[in-house]
Structures are given as C-alpha cells and as structure tokens.
Amino acid sequence: MERTGFGIDIGGSGMKAAIVDLESGALIADRYRINTPQPATPEAMATVVTELVDHFEWQGPVGIALPSVVRHGVVHSAANIDASWIDVDAAALFGSVLGAPPHVLNDADAAGLAEMSFGAGRGRNGVVLVLTFGTGIGSGLFINGRLVPNTELGHLEYHGDSIEKWAAASAKQREKLSWRKWAERVNVYLEIVDKLFSPDLVIMGGGASKSSEKWLSRIESRCEIAIAEFANSAGIIGAAMAAQSSDIAR
Ligand code: BGC
C-alpha cells in the first residue's frame, strides 16, 4: 500500500472527502464536504466527485463509498439515494470523469474496513459486525478480518418494512424518540442480528456513535458491543483503503 490514499463518502445530504494516512487511518487535513446535488442523479454527483478530487489536487487511486449494494462497480440498490442509480456502472461513470475507474464500495463496508484495521475491531478475529446508525442502518460483516460485502442488514424485514425505518438514528429524530425509546429499538435489532450471526463483536458506528454516552448504557445484548472509533470519517478512510488494496474484492 502507498502511504496515503483518497476516499470519498457519498451520502444522501453530503459528499465528503479527505486524504488518508493509510498507515494510521488518520485524515491528513480536514475533510471537505459538498452538499449532495438534488436531484442526486449519477451525472450530477460525478461532477461533485471531480470537484472533491480537484479541491485536494489529488492524483492517484480514488475510493468511493456509496449507500448502496455495489457489486464489481455496479450499483444494485438505492434506498436513500436517487432511484436512477440502480444498475449504473458507478466505477465506469466516475472513471470517465476522473480518468481512471475508482474502487466503489458500500459505505458501511468501507466504514467496517476502517474500524477493523485502525479502530474498534483492530486485531479481532471471528465474526465481527460493524453497524452504522444514521439515515439508514448499514452493515459490514467480517469473518476473521475478511469482509463479506453487501450484507445490507438494515433491510431485514420488521413488521413488513425495512427495520432501518424503525431503528436508524433518523427514526429517533423523525419520531422525536427519547434516547431510552430509541435504545429499546436498537436492542430489538441487536437481538435479531445476534440470532442470525452470533457475532463475537458488534461495533456501533455512524452518526449516532458520536453521542454514545446518551444511549450505550441502555443497550442490552448478549453480544460484546464496542463503539466505533471513527464515526463519520470511517467511510472515507475505508474507501481510501479499498482503492489501494488488492485484497478487497471489487
Ligand atoms: C443502504 C445501505 C447503506 C446504509 C447506510 C441503507 O439504506 O441500503 O447500502 O449501507 O443505508 O448508509
């Protein structure tokens, strides 16, 4: 791996980028954010991708995290981004504006890579599940440190809908839930994922991990729980790692 990498994390409201020190996972200088264009069409977002790269005058491999199922560069789902993304070859589209195809991967998988290498999952073997609680619920599943991509455990069905609609951090905001009420929902969710995967460790990440003092004491689970160390930067760090690793499936 090169010493530095470049990662972009694309979300429903913002597109964030930074140069990353690949030996420590630290961001080199502040990350730069541009609002996600509305409508968030692939072409409009490709333009913002070039603006982010140009801002840092970055030359080299680029990693891009998207809130979607991404297989071999192609987007296969669009829960919280424009539906026109479905079936788009994102690696080819971004490659056409960047000059070379970036490594495109799911945002929670990217966050998981960062936590497993440099954060709360460092050195952990067995089954480790990284969950991100934000607009949706993202999941990155690791078996002995290797990523099983695109698990999409925010879309487990609960009362006829994706459970993320009920238990993501956005549900707390939307329904004005207390931390106690929201934590109760997270506990239900953790019980379901525990039944399915019996994880050795669950790492709780995403925006909600920044205020873990408000809810962690209310979490009841048979699983060992840890709080993510990189919160909202994890997607950028993992994307930068993926761009320069031959070990992560494209
Ligand atoms: C998407 C996932 C994403 C998660 C977190 C879900 O709605 O389906 O692909 O990882 O949100 O952004």
Side-chain angles (χ1 to χ4, degrees), residues 73-133:
V74 179
V75 172
H76 290 281
S77 71
N80 293 311
I81 52 170
D82 198 80
S84 59
W85 271 100
I86 293 194
D87 291 337
V88 168
D89 186 335
L93 171 72
F94 294 139
S96 69
V97 292
L98 293 176
H103 189 140
V104 186
L105 75 168
N106 171 264
D107 59 357
D109 287 348
L113 291 171
E115 292 296 335
M116 293 304 287
S117 287
F118 304 117
R122 211 170 28 227
R124 292 295 298 254
N125 276 322
V127 178
V128 180
L129 185 58
V130 180
L131 298 172
T132 62
F133 292 85

Short mmCIF file of all heavy atoms in Angstrom, two decimals, residues 73-133:
data_model
loop_
_atom_site.label_atom_id
_atom_site.label_comp_id
_atom_site.label_asym_id
_atom_site.label_seq_id
_atom_site.Cartn_x
_atom_site.Cartn_y
_atom_site.Cartn_z
N GLY A 73 -18.42 -2.69 -9.04
CA GLY A 73 -18.55 -1.32 -9.52
C GLY A 73 -19.96 -0.91 -9.90
O GLY A 73 -20.23 0.27 -10.13
N VAL A 74 -20.88 -1.89 -9.96
CA VAL A 74 -22.25 -1.57 -10.40
C VAL A 74 -23.18 -1.45 -9.19
O VAL A 74 -23.14 -2.27 -8.27
CB VAL A 74 -22.78 -2.66 -11.37
CG1 VAL A 74 -24.21 -2.35 -11.82
CG2 VAL A 74 -21.85 -2.79 -12.58
N VAL A 75 -24.01 -0.40 -9.21
CA VAL A 75 -24.94 -0.13 -8.11
C VAL A 75 -26.21 -0.96 -8.29
O VAL A 75 -26.81 -0.98 -9.37
CB VAL A 75 -25.29 1.39 -8.10
CG1 VAL A 75 -26.39 1.70 -7.10
CG2 VAL A 75 -24.04 2.20 -7.80
N HIS A 76 -26.62 -1.65 -7.22
CA HIS A 76 -27.78 -2.53 -7.34
C HIS A 76 -28.94 -2.17 -6.41
O HIS A 76 -29.95 -2.87 -6.39
CB HIS A 76 -27.37 -3.98 -7.07
CG HIS A 76 -26.52 -4.56 -8.17
ND1 HIS A 76 -27.05 -5.02 -9.36
CD2 HIS A 76 -25.18 -4.72 -8.26
CE1 HIS A 76 -26.08 -5.45 -10.14
NE2 HIS A 76 -24.92 -5.28 -9.50
N SER A 77 -28.78 -1.10 -5.62
CA SER A 77 -29.91 -0.70 -4.77
C SER A 77 -29.81 0.80 -4.53
O SER A 77 -28.74 1.39 -4.70
CB SER A 77 -29.88 -1.45 -3.43
OG SER A 77 -28.81 -0.97 -2.64
N ALA A 78 -30.92 1.40 -4.13
CA ALA A 78 -30.93 2.85 -3.91
C ALA A 78 -31.97 3.19 -2.85
O ALA A 78 -33.00 3.78 -3.15
CB ALA A 78 -31.22 3.57 -5.22
N ALA A 79 -31.68 2.82 -1.60
CA ALA A 79 -32.66 3.07 -0.54
C ALA A 79 -32.72 4.55 -0.18
O ALA A 79 -33.80 5.10 0.00
CB ALA A 79 -32.32 2.24 0.69
N ASN A 80 -31.56 5.19 -0.06
CA ASN A 80 -31.54 6.59 0.37
C ASN A 80 -30.88 7.52 -0.65
O ASN A 80 -30.41 8.60 -0.30
CB ASN A 80 -30.85 6.72 1.74
CG ASN A 80 -31.67 6.05 2.84
OD1 ASN A 80 -32.86 6.28 2.94
ND2 ASN A 80 -31.04 5.18 3.61
N ILE A 81 -30.75 7.06 -1.89
CA ILE A 81 -30.27 7.93 -2.97
C ILE A 81 -31.23 7.80 -4.16
O ILE A 81 -32.12 6.96 -4.15
CB ILE A 81 -28.82 7.60 -3.42
CG1 ILE A 81 -28.66 6.11 -3.74
CG2 ILE A 81 -27.81 8.05 -2.39
CD1 ILE A 81 -27.34 5.78 -4.41
N ASP A 82 -31.02 8.64 -5.16
CA ASP A 82 -31.95 8.68 -6.29
C ASP A 82 -32.07 7.31 -6.97
O ASP A 82 -31.07 6.62 -7.20
CB ASP A 82 -31.44 9.72 -7.29
CG ASP A 82 -32.53 10.15 -8.25
OD1 ASP A 82 -33.35 10.98 -7.84
OD2 ASP A 82 -32.57 9.61 -9.38
N ALA A 83 -33.31 6.95 -7.29
CA ALA A 83 -33.56 5.62 -7.89
C ALA A 83 -32.85 5.44 -9.23
O ALA A 83 -32.61 4.31 -9.67
CB ALA A 83 -35.07 5.44 -8.07
N SER A 84 -32.48 6.57 -9.87
CA SER A 84 -31.80 6.45 -11.17
C SER A 84 -30.41 5.82 -11.05
O SER A 84 -29.77 5.51 -12.05
CB SER A 84 -31.70 7.82 -11.84
OG SER A 84 -30.97 8.71 -11.02
N TRP A 85 -29.93 5.61 -9.81
CA TRP A 85 -28.63 4.96 -9.62
C TRP A 85 -28.67 3.46 -9.93
O TRP A 85 -27.64 2.85 -10.22
CB TRP A 85 -28.17 5.14 -8.16
CG TRP A 85 -27.37 6.38 -7.97
CD1 TRP A 85 -27.81 7.56 -7.46
CD2 TRP A 85 -25.99 6.57 -8.31
NE1 TRP A 85 -26.79 8.47 -7.46
CE2 TRP A 85 -25.67 7.89 -7.97
CE3 TRP A 85 -25.00 5.76 -8.85
CZ2 TRP A 85 -24.40 8.42 -8.16
CZ3 TRP A 85 -23.73 6.28 -9.04
CH2 TRP A 85 -23.45 7.59 -8.70
N ILE A 86 -29.86 2.88 -9.85
CA ILE A 86 -29.92 1.41 -9.97
C ILE A 86 -29.41 0.97 -11.33
O ILE A 86 -29.78 1.54 -12.37
CB ILE A 86 -31.34 0.91 -9.67
CG1 ILE A 86 -31.62 1.19 -8.20
CG2 ILE A 86 -31.49 -0.57 -10.00
CD1 ILE A 86 -32.79 0.53 -7.60
N ASP A 87 -28.53 -0.01 -11.30
CA ASP A 87 -27.88 -0.60 -12.49
C ASP A 87 -26.82 0.29 -13.13
O ASP A 87 -26.28 -0.06 -14.18
CB ASP A 87 -28.90 -1.01 -13.56
CG ASP A 87 -29.74 -2.19 -13.11
OD1 ASP A 87 -29.25 -2.93 -12.22
OD2 ASP A 87 -30.85 -2.35 -13.62
N VAL A 88 -26.52 1.43 -12.51
CA VAL A 88 -25.46 2.29 -13.06
C VAL A 88 -24.09 1.67 -12.73
O VAL A 88 -23.85 1.23 -11.60
CB VAL A 88 -25.55 3.72 -12.48
CG1 VAL A 88 -24.29 4.53 -12.80
CG2 VAL A 88 -26.79 4.42 -12.99
N ASP A 89 -23.22 1.62 -13.73
CA ASP A 89 -21.84 1.20 -13.50
C ASP A 89 -21.10 2.42 -12.95
O ASP A 89 -20.58 3.25 -13.70
CB ASP A 89 -21.21 0.70 -14.81
CG ASP A 89 -19.83 0.11 -14.58
OD1 ASP A 89 -19.18 0.49 -13.59
OD2 ASP A 89 -19.40 -0.72 -15.40
N ALA A 90 -21.10 2.52 -11.62
CA ALA A 90 -20.55 3.72 -10.96
C ALA A 90 -19.05 3.82 -11.20
O ALA A 90 -18.52 4.92 -11.38
CB ALA A 90 -20.85 3.69 -9.47
N ALA A 91 -18.36 2.67 -11.22
CA ALA A 91 -16.91 2.72 -11.44
C ALA A 91 -16.61 3.29 -12.83
O ALA A 91 -15.70 4.11 -12.99
CB ALA A 91 -16.31 1.32 -11.28
N ALA A 92 -17.41 2.87 -13.82
CA ALA A 92 -17.19 3.38 -15.18
C ALA A 92 -17.58 4.85 -15.28
O ALA A 92 -16.86 5.66 -15.88
CB ALA A 92 -17.99 2.54 -16.18
N LEU A 93 -18.71 5.23 -14.67
CA LEU A 93 -19.16 6.62 -14.73
C LEU A 93 -18.14 7.56 -14.08
O LEU A 93 -17.71 8.55 -14.68
CB LEU A 93 -20.52 6.76 -14.03
CG LEU A 93 -21.00 8.19 -13.83
CD1 LEU A 93 -21.44 8.80 -15.15
CD2 LEU A 93 -22.15 8.27 -12.83
N PHE A 94 -17.74 7.24 -12.84
CA PHE A 94 -16.76 8.10 -12.16
C PHE A 94 -15.41 8.03 -12.90
O PHE A 94 -14.68 9.01 -12.98
CB PHE A 94 -16.59 7.68 -10.70
CG PHE A 94 -17.81 7.90 -9.85
CD1 PHE A 94 -18.20 6.95 -8.91
CD2 PHE A 94 -18.57 9.06 -9.96
CE1 PHE A 94 -19.33 7.15 -8.11
CE2 PHE A 94 -19.69 9.27 -9.17
CZ PHE A 94 -20.06 8.31 -8.24
N GLY A 95 -15.10 6.85 -13.42
CA GLY A 95 -13.85 6.69 -14.17
C GLY A 95 -13.80 7.61 -15.38
O GLY A 95 -12.75 8.14 -15.74
N SER A 96 -14.98 7.84 -15.99
CA SER A 96 -14.99 8.67 -17.21
C SER A 96 -14.68 10.12 -16.89
O SER A 96 -14.16 10.85 -17.73
CB SER A 96 -16.35 8.54 -17.92
OG SER A 96 -17.35 9.17 -17.16
N VAL A 97 -14.97 10.56 -15.65
CA VAL A 97 -14.62 11.95 -15.30
C VAL A 97 -13.28 12.05 -14.57
O VAL A 97 -12.64 13.10 -14.58
CB VAL A 97 -15.74 12.64 -14.46
CG1 VAL A 97 -16.98 12.85 -15.30
CG2 VAL A 97 -16.06 11.86 -13.19
N LEU A 98 -12.85 10.95 -13.96
CA LEU A 98 -11.60 11.01 -13.19
C LEU A 98 -10.39 10.59 -14.02
O LEU A 98 -9.26 10.84 -13.64
CB LEU A 98 -11.69 10.08 -11.96
CG LEU A 98 -12.67 10.48 -10.86
CD1 LEU A 98 -12.71 9.42 -9.76
CD2 LEU A 98 -12.29 11.83 -10.27
N GLY A 99 -10.65 9.87 -15.09
CA GLY A 99 -9.52 9.40 -15.90
C GLY A 99 -9.19 7.94 -15.65
O GLY A 99 -8.66 7.26 -16.52
N ALA A 100 -9.50 7.45 -14.44
CA ALA A 100 -9.29 6.03 -14.14
C ALA A 100 -10.41 5.58 -13.22
O ALA A 100 -10.86 6.37 -12.38
CB ALA A 100 -7.94 5.83 -13.46
N PRO A 101 -10.91 4.35 -13.37
CA PRO A 101 -12.04 3.94 -12.52
C PRO A 101 -11.64 3.84 -11.05
O PRO A 101 -10.60 3.27 -10.72
CB PRO A 101 -12.42 2.55 -13.08
CG PRO A 101 -11.29 2.11 -13.93
CD PRO A 101 -10.51 3.32 -14.32
N PRO A 102 -12.45 4.43 -10.17
CA PRO A 102 -12.19 4.31 -8.73
C PRO A 102 -12.66 2.95 -8.22
O PRO A 102 -13.36 2.23 -8.93
CB PRO A 102 -13.05 5.42 -8.15
CG PRO A 102 -14.21 5.52 -9.09
CD PRO A 102 -13.67 5.20 -10.45
N HIS A 103 -12.30 2.64 -7.00
CA HIS A 103 -12.87 1.46 -6.34
C HIS A 103 -14.16 1.92 -5.65
O HIS A 103 -14.11 2.76 -4.76
CB HIS A 103 -11.88 0.90 -5.31
CG HIS A 103 -12.30 -0.42 -4.75
ND1 HIS A 103 -11.40 -1.43 -4.51
CD2 HIS A 103 -13.51 -0.92 -4.40
CE1 HIS A 103 -12.05 -2.50 -4.03
NE2 HIS A 103 -13.33 -2.19 -3.95
N VAL A 104 -15.28 1.41 -6.07
CA VAL A 104 -16.57 1.82 -5.49
C VAL A 104 -17.08 0.69 -4.62
O VAL A 104 -17.06 -0.47 -5.02
CB VAL A 104 -17.60 2.14 -6.60
CG1 VAL A 104 -18.88 2.71 -6.00
CG2 VAL A 104 -17.02 3.14 -7.61
N LEU A 105 -17.50 1.04 -3.41
CA LEU A 105 -17.99 0.01 -2.49
C LEU A 105 -19.09 0.56 -1.60
O LEU A 105 -19.31 1.78 -1.57
CB LEU A 105 -16.83 -0.58 -1.67
CG LEU A 105 -16.23 0.24 -0.51
CD1 LEU A 105 -15.32 -0.68 0.31
CD2 LEU A 105 -15.46 1.43 -0.97
N ASN A 106 -19.75 -0.32 -0.90
CA ASN A 106 -20.82 0.08 0.02
C ASN A 106 -20.24 0.90 1.18
O ASN A 106 -19.15 0.59 1.69
CB ASN A 106 -21.51 -1.20 0.55
CG ASN A 106 -22.49 -0.90 1.66
OD1 ASN A 106 -22.15 -1.01 2.84
ND2 ASN A 106 -23.69 -0.50 1.31
N ASP A 107 -20.99 1.91 1.65
CA ASP A 107 -20.46 2.81 2.69
C ASP A 107 -20.21 2.12 4.03
O ASP A 107 -19.21 2.40 4.70
CB ASP A 107 -21.36 4.05 2.84
CG ASP A 107 -22.80 3.71 3.21
OD1 ASP A 107 -23.16 2.52 3.31
OD2 ASP A 107 -23.60 4.67 3.40
N ALA A 108 -21.08 1.20 4.42
CA ALA A 108 -20.86 0.53 5.71
C ALA A 108 -19.72 -0.49 5.59
O ALA A 108 -18.98 -0.71 6.56
CB ALA A 108 -22.14 -0.16 6.18
N ASP A 109 -19.57 -1.08 4.42
CA ASP A 109 -18.41 -1.96 4.22
C ASP A 109 -17.13 -1.15 4.35
O ASP A 109 -16.15 -1.59 4.96
CB ASP A 109 -18.47 -2.62 2.83
CG ASP A 109 -19.53 -3.70 2.75
OD1 ASP A 109 -20.05 -4.11 3.81
OD2 ASP A 109 -19.84 -4.16 1.63
N ALA A 110 -17.15 0.05 3.76
CA ALA A 110 -15.97 0.92 3.87
C ALA A 110 -15.71 1.29 5.33
O ALA A 110 -14.58 1.19 5.81
CB ALA A 110 -16.19 2.18 3.03
N ALA A 111 -16.76 1.68 6.05
CA ALA A 111 -16.60 2.04 7.46
C ALA A 111 -16.03 0.85 8.24
O ALA A 111 -15.16 1.00 9.10
CB ALA A 111 -17.94 2.47 8.04
N GLY A 112 -16.51 -0.32 7.89
CA GLY A 112 -16.04 -1.54 8.57
C GLY A 112 -14.55 -1.77 8.33
O GLY A 112 -13.82 -2.12 9.26
N LEU A 113 -14.10 -1.55 7.11
CA LEU A 113 -12.68 -1.74 6.81
C LEU A 113 -11.82 -0.84 7.70
O LEU A 113 -10.79 -1.26 8.22
CB LEU A 113 -12.40 -1.43 5.33
CG LEU A 113 -12.98 -2.41 4.31
CD1 LEU A 113 -12.80 -1.84 2.90
CD2 LEU A 113 -12.29 -3.77 4.41
N ALA A 114 -12.28 0.40 7.86
CA ALA A 114 -11.53 1.35 8.69
C ALA A 114 -11.50 0.88 10.14
O ALA A 114 -10.45 0.86 10.79
CB ALA A 114 -12.17 2.74 8.59
N GLU A 115 -12.64 0.49 10.66
CA GLU A 115 -12.70 0.07 12.08
C GLU A 115 -11.89 -1.21 12.31
O GLU A 115 -11.26 -1.37 13.35
CB GLU A 115 -14.16 -0.14 12.52
CG GLU A 115 -14.98 1.14 12.58
CD GLU A 115 -14.48 2.14 13.63
OE1 GLU A 115 -13.84 1.70 14.61
OE2 GLU A 115 -14.72 3.34 13.45
N MET A 116 -11.91 -2.12 11.34
CA MET A 116 -11.20 -3.39 11.51
C MET A 116 -9.68 -3.19 11.48
O MET A 116 -8.93 -3.89 12.15
CB MET A 116 -11.60 -4.40 10.44
CG MET A 116 -13.04 -4.86 10.54
SD MET A 116 -13.46 -5.56 12.15
CE MET A 116 -12.62 -7.13 12.10
N SER A 117 -9.23 -2.24 10.68
CA SER A 117 -7.78 -2.03 10.58
C SER A 117 -7.23 -1.11 11.65
O SER A 117 -6.16 -1.34 12.19
CB SER A 117 -7.41 -1.43 9.22
OG SER A 117 -7.55 -2.41 8.24
N PHE A 118 -7.99 -0.03 11.92
CA PHE A 118 -7.41 1.02 12.77
C PHE A 118 -8.25 1.36 14.00
O PHE A 118 -7.84 2.15 14.82
CB PHE A 118 -7.26 2.31 11.95
CG PHE A 118 -6.45 2.15 10.70
CD1 PHE A 118 -7.02 2.36 9.46
CD2 PHE A 118 -5.11 1.80 10.77
CE1 PHE A 118 -6.28 2.22 8.30
CE2 PHE A 118 -4.35 1.65 9.61
CZ PHE A 118 -4.94 1.87 8.37
N GLY A 119 -9.45 0.83 14.09
CA GLY A 119 -10.37 1.28 15.14
C GLY A 119 -10.77 0.16 16.10
O GLY A 119 -9.95 -0.67 16.50
N ALA A 120 -12.06 0.12 16.40
CA ALA A 120 -12.56 -0.76 17.47
C ALA A 120 -12.45 -2.25 17.14
O ALA A 120 -12.56 -3.08 18.04
CB ALA A 120 -14.02 -0.40 17.75
N GLY A 121 -12.21 -2.59 15.87
CA GLY A 121 -12.10 -4.01 15.51
C GLY A 121 -10.68 -4.47 15.28
O GLY A 121 -10.45 -5.61 14.87
N ARG A 122 -9.73 -3.58 15.55
CA ARG A 122 -8.31 -3.88 15.31
C ARG A 122 -7.91 -5.19 15.97
O ARG A 122 -8.15 -5.40 17.16
CB ARG A 122 -7.51 -2.74 15.96
CG ARG A 122 -6.21 -2.38 15.32
CD ARG A 122 -5.69 -1.09 15.94
NE ARG A 122 -6.14 -0.91 17.33
CZ ARG A 122 -6.64 0.21 17.81
NH1 ARG A 122 -6.77 1.26 17.06
NH2 ARG A 122 -7.02 0.30 19.07
N GLY A 123 -7.34 -6.08 15.17
CA GLY A 123 -6.81 -7.33 15.72
C GLY A 123 -7.87 -8.34 16.11
O GLY A 123 -7.55 -9.36 16.72
N ARG A 124 -9.15 -8.10 15.76
CA ARG A 124 -10.20 -9.01 16.20
C ARG A 124 -10.51 -10.04 15.12
O ARG A 124 -10.79 -9.70 13.98
CB ARG A 124 -11.48 -8.22 16.53
CG ARG A 124 -11.33 -7.35 17.75
CD ARG A 124 -11.12 -8.14 19.01
NE ARG A 124 -12.23 -9.01 19.32
CZ ARG A 124 -13.13 -8.80 20.28
NH1 ARG A 124 -13.01 -7.75 21.06
NH2 ARG A 124 -14.11 -9.65 20.49
N ASN A 125 -10.48 -11.30 15.52
CA ASN A 125 -10.87 -12.37 14.62
C ASN A 125 -12.31 -12.80 14.89
O ASN A 125 -13.01 -12.16 15.65
CB ASN A 125 -9.91 -13.55 14.77
CG ASN A 125 -8.67 -13.33 13.93
OD1 ASN A 125 -8.75 -12.82 12.82
ND2 ASN A 125 -7.52 -13.71 14.47
N GLY A 126 -12.72 -13.91 14.28
CA GLY A 126 -14.08 -14.38 14.48
C GLY A 126 -15.06 -13.58 13.65
O GLY A 126 -14.71 -12.98 12.64
N VAL A 127 -16.32 -13.55 14.12
CA VAL A 127 -17.37 -12.85 13.38
C VAL A 127 -17.55 -11.45 13.99
O VAL A 127 -17.93 -11.33 15.16
CB VAL A 127 -18.70 -13.63 13.46
CG1 VAL A 127 -19.82 -12.88 12.75
CG2 VAL A 127 -18.53 -15.03 12.88
N VAL A 128 -17.24 -10.45 13.22
CA VAL A 128 -17.39 -9.06 13.70
C VAL A 128 -18.36 -8.34 12.78
O VAL A 128 -18.25 -8.41 11.56
CB VAL A 128 -16.03 -8.31 13.73
CG1 VAL A 128 -16.23 -6.88 14.24
CG2 VAL A 128 -15.02 -9.05 14.60
N LEU A 129 -19.32 -7.68 13.39
CA LEU A 129 -20.33 -6.95 12.63
C LEU A 129 -20.21 -5.47 12.95
O LEU A 129 -20.26 -5.07 14.12
CB LEU A 129 -21.71 -7.48 13.04
CG LEU A 129 -22.92 -6.94 12.29
CD1 LEU A 129 -22.81 -7.22 10.79
CD2 LEU A 129 -24.19 -7.59 12.84
N VAL A 130 -20.01 -4.68 11.90
CA VAL A 130 -19.94 -3.22 12.07
C VAL A 130 -21.28 -2.66 11.61
O VAL A 130 -21.70 -2.91 10.47
CB VAL A 130 -18.78 -2.63 11.25
CG1 VAL A 130 -18.72 -1.11 11.44
CG2 VAL A 130 -17.45 -3.27 11.65
N LEU A 131 -21.97 -1.94 12.49
CA LEU A 131 -23.28 -1.37 12.14
C LEU A 131 -23.16 0.15 12.16
O LEU A 131 -22.55 0.72 13.06
CB LEU A 131 -24.34 -1.81 13.15
CG LEU A 131 -24.61 -3.32 13.23
CD1 LEU A 131 -25.55 -3.63 14.41
CD2 LEU A 131 -25.21 -3.84 11.92
N THR A 132 -23.74 0.81 11.17
CA THR A 132 -23.73 2.27 11.18
C THR A 132 -25.17 2.77 11.31
O THR A 132 -26.06 2.35 10.55
CB THR A 132 -23.09 2.84 9.89
OG1 THR A 132 -23.87 2.44 8.75
CG2 THR A 132 -21.66 2.36 9.73
N PHE A 133 -25.38 3.62 12.30
CA PHE A 133 -26.72 4.16 12.55
C PHE A 133 -26.75 5.62 12.13
O PHE A 133 -26.12 6.48 12.73
CB PHE A 133 -27.07 4.03 14.05
CG PHE A 133 -27.25 2.60 14.49
CD1 PHE A 133 -26.14 1.84 14.86
CD2 PHE A 133 -28.50 2.02 14.51
CE1 PHE A 133 -26.30 0.51 15.25
CE2 PHE A 133 -28.67 0.69 14.89
CZ PHE A 133 -27.57 -0.06 15.26
#
